[in-house]
Amino acid sequence: MRFNSSPTLPENPYPLRLSWSTVAFFATIHALALLSPWFFSWPALGVTLLLHWLFGSIGVCLGYHRLLSHRSFKVPRWLEYAIAILGALSLQGGPIFWVAGHRLHHAHTEDEYKDPYSARRGFWWSHILWIFYPRPEFFDYERYQRFAPDLARDPFYRWLNRYFPLLQIPVAFLLYTLGGWSFVIYGVFLRTVILWHTTWFINSVTHMWGYRSFASNDNSRNLWWAAILTYGEGWHNNHHAYPHVAKCGWRWWEIDMTWWAIRLLKTVGLAKDVNLPPAQTMKVGDL
C-alpha cells in the first residue's frame, strides 16, 4: 500500500508563533534530565540504555517508522498495537501525529513549507524549532489526521494518539518501585531527552552530512554515527531512495539493528510481506 500527501497543503505558510507552553514542557524535561549526575547508579544507566533501545528501536524505528508510516512489512494486529504502545512511550507524539508528519516529510522532502521539519530551513529548525513553532497543518488533529487515514479510522490509534502522555505514569511508578528516584530520573527523563535528540538527528544531520549511495531528489545522506545512535535509521539516503523497503542498511557494514529485529520477527513467522531492496541494486553478500 502506498500513501500520498493528498489533500494538498497551502503554498504560503502561516506566520510563525512561538508556543511558550511547548518550550516550557521541553525545558522542564531537559532540566529534570540534568539531575542525573546526582542520582547516578550503574543499574539506572542500564535502564536508560534498555528503554532507549526498546522505545527507540522497537517502538519508533520499527513501529512508528517502518511498520506504520511505510507499511514495509506486516505483523498480527495484536503485535502491531503492542509495538505502537512502545512507540508512544518514546514521548514523541501519538501514532497518527508521528505517521502523518513523516509521510508529509517524504511527500515534500525539504520543501520549506510542506515538509514539517525541512532541513532547508537550517539545522535547528529541522532538529527542534519546528516543534516550538507549531503550524496548524502539522499539529492540529483535524488537519494532520488526513495524512494518516488508515490509522485515524482505528479507535485504538485515536485513543493512543490522544492519551499517549499518560503512559509515562505507570512506567514511572514501575521504575520507582524497582529502583527509586534514580530509576525514574534515568528511565524517564534522561532516556526521553537522549531519545528525542537521537531521533531528531535523522531530521537534521542526515540531511546535511554523510555520503549518498543513490541520486534521490533531496539531500538525504548516509551517516554512520547517526545510524549507530538510531539503530539503523541513519542510512537515510538509502531510505529516501526506497522508503518502503524494511531494510535501511543495505551493505554489510551498514549496521541496522532495527532490521535485525524485523528479520527475527520474520524468522519466527510474526512478520510477513517484508519489502526487501530491489535485487538489481544489491551486490552479493550485502543482504
Side-chain angles (χ1 to χ4, degrees):
M1 184 179 295
R2 297 292 185 266
F3 301 93
N4 57 42
S5 62
S6 181
T8 59
L9 292 171
E11 290 290 344
N12 297 321
Y14 289 93
L16 294 178
R17 293 185 175 89
L18 182 64
S19 171
W20 286 106
S21 60
T22 302
V23 172
F25 171 76
F26 280 89
T28 300
I29 301 297
H30 279 75
L32 291 169
L34 290 174
L35 295 174
S36 55
W38 288 272
F39 290 86
F40 176 79
S41 72
W42 289 109
L45 181 60
V47 167
T48 301
L49 297 175
L50 174 64
L51 295 185
H52 185 279
W53 166 78
L54 184 62
F55 299 162
S57 179
I58 306 303
V60 174
C61 302
L62 186 152
Y64 272 14
H65 187 205
R66 306 189 199 188
L67 176 60
L68 296 183
S69 295
H70 295 293
R71 298 297 184 181
S72 60
F73 63 99
K74 297 178 182 178
V75 296
R77 184 53 60 94
W78 65 266
L79 182 56
E80 179 180 309
Y81 285 168
I83 294 171
I85 290 172
L86 294 178
L89 284 166
S90 70
L91 208 58
Q92 294 184 19
I96 302 175
F97 166 81
W98 203 103
V99 168
H102 190 72
R103 288 177 181 170
L104 281 169
H105 168 67
H106 275 272
H108 305 288
T109 305
E110 296 172 0
D111 184 284
E112 293 186 20
Y113 302 138
K114 297 180 180 181
D115 181 347
Y117 28 86
S118 172
R120 193 174 298 173
R121 302 185 71 167
F123 171 85
W124 286 111
W125 176 266
S126 58
H127 193 74
I128 192 172
L129 289 181
W130 70 278
I131 301 172
F132 290 172
Y133 292 90
R135 287 177 53 194
E137 300 99 314
F138 310 134
F139 285 84
D140 180 81
Y141 176 79
E142 292 304 321
R143 300 194 187 192
Y144 71 69
Q145 58 89 20
R146 295 175 296 170
F147 304 104
D150 50 322
L151 301 187
R153 287 191 295 267
D154 191 314
F156 172 77
Y157 284 123
R158 293 198 300 270
W159 177 89
L160 189 60
N161 197 71
R162 184 171 185 178
Y163 295 109
F164 74 92
L166 299 179
L167 297 180
Q168 300 299 315
I169 297 174
V171 171
F173 179 79
L174 176 61
L175 291 173
Y176 181 81
T177 302
L178 294 175
W181 286 112
S182 176
F183 273 30
V184 174
I185 295 296
Y186 274 76
V188 175
F189 301 110
L190 183 62
R191 175 267 303 172
T192 296
V193 168
I194 294 174
L195 186 51
W196 276 343
H197 286 282
T198 50
T199 301
W200 297 339
F201 276 147
I202 304 305
N203 302 339
S204 55
V205 299
T206 60
H207 282 265
M208 300 177 69
W209 302 301
Y211 64 90
R212 290 168 58 80
S213 298
F214 300 97
S216 56
N217 295 322
D218 52 58
N219 198 41
S220 59
R221 305 277 170 161
N222 294 325
L223 190 58
W224 68 269
W225 60 264
I228 291 174
L229 292 175
T230 58
Y231 309 99
E233 300 294 279
W235 310 118
H236 205 49
N237 176 245
N238 297 346
H239 174 62
H240 267 267
Y242 294 90
H244 299 287
V245 167
K247 195 177 194 295
C248 287
W250 287 26
R251 294 178 173 85
W252 67 266
W253 46 269
E254 292 178 340
I255 297 174
D256 184 354
M257 290 182 63
T258 301
W259 164 248
W260 299 347
I262 296 171
R263 186 168 59 182
L264 177 61
L265 290 175
K266 184 176 185 295
T267 300
V268 300
L270 288 174
K272 300 183 184 299
D273 298 332
V274 179
N275 293 333
L276 295 174
Q280 65 268 25
T281 66
M282 302 302 299
K283 295 180 180 179
V284 175
D286 282 342
L287 286 175

